[in-house]
């Protein structure tokens, strides 16, 4: 029974590296595919950062509140 939490922790660590689950570096095309746009240095107010396009550009996307 002590093995189950260890296996769950290892599974979560492996899934963090899966593309799309982490806000890692992506290209401008990946950002647009996610419904966002690249912005230099920061995202405009009211728009959330969802990833990186390059070292100085963030992938930004409008926040939707139901």
């Amino acid at each position: 029974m002590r093995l189950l939490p260890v296996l769950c922790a290892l599974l979560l660590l492996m899934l963090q590296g899966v593309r799309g689950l982490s806000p890692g570096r992506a290209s401008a095309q990946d950002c647009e595919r996610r419904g966002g746009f690249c912005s230099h240095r920061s995202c405009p107010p009211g728009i959330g950062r969802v990833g990186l396009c390059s070292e100085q550009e963030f992938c930004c996307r409008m926040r939707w509140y139901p």
Side-chain angles (χ1 to χ4, degrees), residues 23-24 26-54 56-64:
S27 67
Q29 291 83 14
D30 290 336
C31 182
E32 290 176 7
R33 193 176 311 121
R34 295 171 72 178
F37 61 92
C38 294
S39 180
H40 190 68
R41 298 207 184 243
S42 67
C43 296
I47 295 178
R49 183 173 66 173
V50 294
L52 295 172
C53 294
S54 68
Q56 295 182 350
E57 289 187 326
F58 294 107
C59 181
C60 305
R61 185 174 58 193
M62 181 86 75
R63 294 181 183 163
W64 297 98

Side-chain angles (χ1 to χ4, degrees), residues 1-42:
M1 292 303 285
R2 286 193 241 164
L3 188 61
L4 186 61
V6 173
L7 289 175
C8 289
L10 286 175
L11 180 65
L12 288 174
L13 285 174
M14 288 189 308
L15 287 177
Q16 284 182 346
V18 175
R19 187 175 179 173
L21 293 180
S22 62
R25 183 164 302 182
S27 67
Q29 291 83 14
D30 290 336
C31 182
E32 290 176 7
R33 193 176 311 121
R34 295 171 72 178
F37 61 92
C38 294
S39 180
H40 190 68
R41 298 207 184 243
S42 67

